[in-house]
Structure formats: C-alpha cells, structure tokens
Amino acid sequence: MTDNITTAPASGLPVAGEAQDGPAGIGSEEGAGLPASENAAGAPGDAADLSSRTLSALADAADLADAGGPVVLILGAMSIFALTIVLAKLMQFWLARVSNRRSTRDALALWRAGRAGDAYAKARSSSNPAARILTLAMEGQAHGVPEPKIREQCYAEAQIRVEALRGWMRPLEVIASLAPLLGLFGTVLGMIEAFSKLEAAGSQVDPAILSGGIWVALLTTAVGLAVAIPVVAAANWFERRIERVEHDIDTGLACLFATDWRGDETFDLGASLRSGTEESRDRGVHVFRPATAGE
C-alpha cells in the first residue's frame, strides 16, 4: 500500500524535489495564476483581440456605408483621394525643404556682411526654393549680367518652382468645397425618403420610421463634414507655406540687389562658380553664362 502511494503522483503535479524546466515564472509560483495566453508572452491573446477589433471596426464602417448609400461611398472615395494628395504634398515639401527658411536668412546676412563667397556657398547648399533663386541671382551678378536680366531670369525660375509647389492644390480645394455639399445632398435625399415612407404609412404612423430616416439622412452630412474639415486645414497649411516661399523670394532678391558684393576681396568667383555649376545643373537650376559684348 505504501509503495503504491509514493510511486503514483497525481497527474499534472510535479514530484517534490524534481527540477523544473522552462524560464522562471512558468510552472512556478510566480506564474501559477496566469492564463495560458499571457504565459506565452501575450502574443496569441493580443493578436486575437486586435483582429477582432479590426473586424468589428470594418463591419461598423460597412454598416454606415450601407446605411448612407452611394453618397457615403463617394465621400469615402474622395477622402482616400485627398489623403493620397496630402501625403504626396508633404513629401514634396519635405524634399524641397520649404520649412527651412534659416538658410536663406543666413545667406542674406553673410551677403550684407560682405562675405559674398560664404553667402553663395550657404545658399547653394540648400534645396529651399528661395535659396535656389538667391544662388541664381548671385551667379548672375558674379558674371556681370545686367540687373534687369537677372531679375527676369530669377522671377521666371521662381514661377516654375512655385507652380510646382501649387500642383494638385486645386483638387484639394474642390474636395473641401464639394464634401459638405454632397453630405447635405445626401441628407435631403434621406429626408425625402423618410417623409415618403411616413406618408405611405397613412394613419398608422410609426415614429421609428421618421426617427430612423432622419438619423440615416444626417449621417451623410456628418461624413461630408468629417471629410471636408481636415482637407480644408491641410489646404490652408500648404497655401501658407507657399506664400512664405514667395515672400522669401521677393525679400531675398530685394536685399540682394540692394547690397554691393564687390567689397569682398576673398570671393573667388571662378572657383565658386566652377564648383557650383554642376551641382546647380543637377538641381535643375539655370546657370548664367558670362555676359558677352553687346548683351
């Protein structure tokens, strides 16, 4: 009897003194009260929870789209299109270093201080449109090109660069204007449908018919406003950045032509222009050629 009791431990319980396998907290007192999903680093439980929440959100969105009808579907497509434009514009503005206004200011400060060579190098090292226009103007002055001709070329280059920044702004403005109108249009259609059902019910009026039709109708207005509000904010933010670029170009050229760079004896014109010609061409900037007789 004694041997049978000592040699047959309970199923699933470790024998006293037996070494425990696995990391600390698993199969020991610390991890005794934890569920299996948490003992496995929580990955299966968390993944299942995230998947269920995602499916639930998609189901809710599908229900709203089905309740709102084709107007909500059109607004959803417009929101995706607007988001694509916004992301593309953010990338474009980041590559152009539109927010980096310090390089232009530093270049102008160096120019006014008589350090024309350092000013040229500072402006040439930046991708900011205003800095690139300053580089073009400095090259023109260094080559002895008349000021009116420099201004014409600089403003032509500025228009090209500013127009590139304004690309795809019109679709954003159209979406910002049409989204609330489409939402209102869907609301009017929903109200017409609700009252037509109310009229068809006759004397047996059910308040649920009217209330259900009204909330479905108002849904399209809410979706339209949800699409229009962020698009309006993004479009105005982009417009403000473009206005700053135009302001920096005008101010930079005015300050540049109001200062005489010839007082800088250390400005190595030949070396600076030779080193900057290839880089300027790579950046798509027109490089002035030396003025010839009769120009």
Side-chain angles (χ1 to χ4, degrees), residues 38-278:
E38 295 185 6
N39 285 338
D46 293 345
D49 186 53
L50 179 61
S51 176
S52 63
R53 285 184 303 202
T54 303
L55 292 176
S56 177
L58 292 176
D60 294 340
D63 292 339
L64 291 177
D66 182 64
V71 175
V72 173
L73 295 178
I74 294 173
L75 290 172
M78 291 172 62
S79 66
I80 295 174
F81 183 58
L83 179 61
T84 304
I85 295 176
V86 168
L87 294 178
K89 296 298 292 181
L90 288 174
M91 179 62 68
Q92 180 190 21
F93 278 40
W94 180 78
L95 292 175
R97 301 295 189 270
V98 171
S99 299
N100 182 20
R101 306 175 68 189
R102 181 178 296 275
S103 58
T104 304
R105 296 172 181 173
D106 292 344
L108 288 175
L110 292 171
W111 186 270
R112 286 192 295 265
R115 300 168 57 185
D118 295 336
Y120 178 78
K122 183 69 175 178
R124 191 185 65 189
S125 63
S126 176
S127 298
N128 184 274
R132 302 312 305 163
I133 299 303
L134 281 183
T135 303
L136 186 64
M138 291 177 185
E139 291 175 354
Q141 280 201 348
H143 279 118
V145 179
E147 180 177 330
K149 195 171 183 180
I150 298 176
R151 286 183 178 273
E152 290 179 3
Q153 180 62 40
C154 288
Y155 281 121
E157 183 71 21
Q159 288 179 358
I160 294 174
R161 291 180 176 272
V162 171
E163 183 62 26
L165 293 177
R166 290 191 182 279
W168 292 97
M169 289 296 297
R170 184 65 65 183
L172 282 182
E173 296 172 358
V174 171
I175 291 174
S177 301
L178 284 184
L181 296 178
L182 281 174
L184 182 60
F185 178 67
T187 298
V188 172
L189 293 180
M191 295 295 290
I192 292 174
E193 183 179 358
F195 280 106
S196 65
K197 290 181 179 179
L198 190 63
E199 182 184 8
S203 59
Q204 299 178 351
V205 177
D206 185 3
I209 297 177
L210 183 60
S211 61
I214 290 176
W215 85 261
V216 170
L218 293 176
L219 174 64
T220 58
T221 298
V223 175
L225 293 176
V227 173
I229 290 173
V231 173
V232 169
N236 282 274
W237 187 84
F238 290 140
E239 284 291 345
R240 180 54 183 160
R241 291 298 182 274
I242 295 172
E243 290 175 358
R244 285 182 177 178
V245 169
E246 294 176 336
H247 172 75
D248 290 343
I249 291 174
D250 292 336
T251 305
L253 290 178
C255 294
L256 189 74
F257 290 120
T259 307
D260 188 6
W261 64 273
R262 293 174 181 80
D264 185 7
E265 298 291 342
T266 63
F267 185 27
D268 188 352
L269 172 62
S272 298
L273 292 181
R274 282 194 300 272
S275 61
T277 299
E278 294 184 359

